[in-house]
Amino acid sequence: MAPSYQYLVVGAGFSGAVVARELALHTEAKVLVVDERPHIAGNCHTSRDEATGVMVHRYGPHIFNTSNEAVWKYVQQFARFGPYIHRVKADTERGVFGLPINLLTINQFFGQHLSPAEAKLFLATLSEPVERPVNFEEQALKLVGRELYEAFFYGYTKKQWGCEPREIPASVLQRLPVRFNYDDNYYDSKFQGIPEEGYSALIANILHHPRIEVQLNHRFTPAEATGFDHVFYTGPIDTYFGHRLGRL
């Protein structure tokens, strides 16, 4: 399949689509995009439910968020984004609370009326003395103490990752904020939104170019890489090597 195309892009998700688009825009080359699935957009694939007309995120919800204005302007070329603020609620044995943990969460959970400064001091009294956390559980115990960890993090983390939190690196929790104000916006990103016509429509618009061809239901093998000027592989790295060292 190589002779007609200078570049091969493996994967028709966000990364593959943007790579293909930029190659088509800034070179005179023809680009072939292949994907083993029967649809574009990868894990962001969306389609409307026939009975209700609701746009369904088939592999789980995706909220586009970034603080990079150039990225925000780029995606808006290809889709209209509806405004969206991600506000998460945790249903626990002690009630329903907002996440990420913020001043309201702390006051409601412990039945307090703490100011921001008081809440910082209070949380410090709950912290367990873990000098150098090496896993998710130790990081949580140091950050918020056992009660908040068990109420908000333990069960969800175990379900999400399929293993005990102590088997997960501490860095996973380090990216989640604890706020001492009433901001319940899950993300700190400056720009947030969801494409009104879904992610698949957005990706289709990115891929819409006369020098880009897309082939679905095509499982790439490294043997196919010959004959192209360059191959851009956007799939799982362990799959590329045939899981010779196991699955990541």
Side-chain angles (χ1 to χ4, degrees):
M1 62 180 177
S4 301
Y5 307 94
Q6 285 71 51
Y7 297 111
L8 172 65
V9 177
V10 181
F14 250 116
S15 297
V18 171
V19 167
R21 181 80 183 193
E22 293 304 297
L23 288 170
L25 285 177
H26 299 293
T27 74
E28 296 298 319
K30 296 182 67 177
V31 184
L32 176 63
V33 180
V34 300
D35 199 293
E36 67 179 10
R37 298 183 187 182
H39 58 73
I40 61 172
N43 288 340
C44 288
H45 173 58
T46 52
S47 62
R48 290 199 181 277
D49 179 74
E50 293 183 3
T52 64
V54 171
M55 184 64 73
V56 180
H57 294 207
R58 298 294 175 180
Y59 298 94
H62 292 80
I63 300 95
F64 195 96
N65 68 100
T66 180
S67 292
N68 188 317
E69 188 170 0
V71 170
W72 185 238
K73 288 181 177 179
Y74 184 88
V75 295
Q76 287 189 311
Q77 298 176 83
F78 306 104
R80 182 192 301 273
F81 279 74
Y84 178 86
I85 300 298
H86 195 45
R87 291 188 167 91
V88 178
K89 299 294 180 283
D91 186 0
T92 75
E93 293 181 356
R94 291 171 61 168
V96 178
F97 303 92
L99 285 180
I101 293 173
N102 57 68
L103 186 57
L104 182 60
T105 311
I106 296 168
N107 279 327
Q108 287 183 330
F109 190 83
F110 293 103
Q112 300 288 332
H113 295 81
L114 304 172
S115 68
E118 292 170 336
K120 285 184 181 180
L121 292 174
F122 177 72
L123 212 58
T125 67
L126 303 178
S127 173
E128 296 196 6
V130 183
E131 185 175 349
R132 294 181 179 177
V134 297
N135 60 53
F136 186 101
E137 182 171 289
E138 291 179 350
Q139 180 67 37
L141 293 176
K142 180 177 182 178
L143 183 66
V144 298
R146 187 163 296 277
E147 280 190 90
L148 291 173
Y149 163 63
E150 292 182 349
F152 297 111
F153 295 119
Y154 175 77
Y156 177 80
T157 303
K158 185 176 180 180
K159 179 184 72 174
Q160 180 77 5
W161 291 79
C163 61
E164 290 292 329
R166 58 180 172 270
E167 300 176 55
I168 301 170
S171 58
V172 172
L173 182 60
Q174 289 169 355
R175 62 193 184 208
L176 298 178
V178 173
R179 301 191 180 116
F180 296 99
N181 55 30
Y182 292 109
D183 181 8
D184 63 349
N185 183 347
Y186 194 81
Y187 297 112
D188 290 324
S189 304
K190 183 177 179 181
F191 306 104
Q192 299 179 49
I194 297 178
E196 293 180 357
E197 296 304 317
Y199 285 96
S200 290
L202 186 162
I203 299 300
N205 288 335
I206 295 176
L207 291 168
H208 183 67
H209 190 281
R211 287 196 298 278
I212 297 176
E213 181 180 332
V214 179
Q215 293 181 6
L216 302 177
N217 296 302
H218 185 112
R219 182 183 291 273
F220 168 80
T221 62
E224 298 176 68
T226 59
F228 296 95
D229 291 350
H230 198 88
V231 176
F232 297 85
Y233 180 84
T234 69
I237 192 67
D238 52 344
T239 301
Y240 182 88
F241 290 101
H243 305 106
R244 291 201 300 267
L245 300 178
R247 292 182 178 271
L248 291 176

